[in-house]
Amino acid sequence: MSAILPPSERLWWKQPIDKVEWAWIAIAFVWGMVMFVMMIYWHIYGKQNLSNEAYKTTPEMFAAKAEKFIAENTIRTETEQQIPVVKVPANGEGYLIARLWAWYPILELEKGKTYKIHLSSMDYNHGFSLQPVNINIQVIPGYEHVVKMTPTKEGTYAIVCNEYCGIGHHSMLGRIYVK
Ligand code: CUA
């Protein structure tokens, strides 16, 4: 019997399991168990597996909440496109919209404070990738992701879309300031 030819014994599933097959089944099972335990371990002790919450929403509902947040907390605008820079209230909630092909608005956070950042997409699947700290979250239309963040270092952080979303994907960049 080979992988290419049909099995010589047609009822191959009635053949006894070979020692080598048992060995591979055992290896695969043990490895699966190791990964299962590691998944739980990294969820608790890992630094990148976020325990974020997600809720069902619609682009309209999320945009309304984000617009209200932007209207109440904008401190200035930046770049030629007049993108609002919004100061998230200390230990409060912030909203970030993903859409073709921008992250909106620019958020400003304070070092050492804990924030709940709400993320959602207005159109397609985007990927929130915070650099250089390398935090990655899928941003999916219809879902509101709530991520807890406590910045530990001042600086300008880049948000890069890491989920291919069309012709402007490479230009889908955003910014978070930590003061
Ligand atoms: Cu948004 Cu790629």
Side-chain angles (χ1 to χ4, degrees), residues 98-103 123-127 160-166 168-170 172:
R99 64 178 170 222
L100 298 175
W101 288 283
W103 298 95
D123 35 52
Y124 299 102
N125 194 355
H126 299 284
V160 179
C161 181
N162 66 356
E163 198 65 54
Y164 183 70
C165 55
H169 163 70
H170 64 283
M172 188 166 167

Side-chain angles (χ1 to χ4, degrees), residues 69 88-94 109 113-118 147 149:
F69 158 76
V88 186
N91 302 311
E93 325 232 339
L109 310 175
K113 302 272 165 40
T114 299
Y115 298 93
K116 275 187 165 179
I117 304 299
H118 298 242
V147 187
M149 278 186 201

Side-chain angles (χ1 to χ4, degrees), residues 35-55:
M35 294 315 275
F36 180 71
V37 172
M38 287 306 285
M39 198 167 69
I40 296 162
Y41 176 84
W42 283 115
H43 181 76
I44 299 163
Y45 298 103
K47 287 195 173 141
Q48 290 178 17
N49 289 32
L50 308 169
S51 340
N52 52 333
E53 305 158 29
Y55 302 95

